[in-house]
Amino acid sequence: MNKNTVLGWATLIMIIVGLALISLGAFKYNETAGWGFASVGIGFFAIAWVFNALKGRV
């Protein structure tokens, strides 16, 4: 496994965790905690985007 493969897997895992956090915030927690879960999920998407942008450059 080279660096690009590791970044690809990390991107995929971050997207899955981000989707899980956003869905927890939307469907399970309807109060203030739901907003926190959704914002952390969006943060995971941002980090996954950075990982995807780094593929091929590292």
Side-chain angles (χ1 to χ4, degrees):
M1 256 171 47
N2 58 9
K3 291 180 258 185
N4 288 332
T5 307
V6 171
L7 283 173
W9 279 106
T11 301
L12 180 66
I13 291 169
M14 295 285 287
I15 288 174
I16 291 170
V17 170
L19 284 173
L21 285 170
I22 290 173
S23 63
L24 272 174
F27 298 117
K28 184 166 172 68
Y29 299 107
N30 292 330
E31 60 273 354
T32 309
W35 288 98
F37 274 99
S39 9
V40 170
I42 292 171
F44 268 77
F45 279 160
I47 296 170
W49 182 25
V50 169
F51 282 169
N52 194 26
L54 285 176
K55 278 192 335 190
R57 298 183 189 271
V58 180

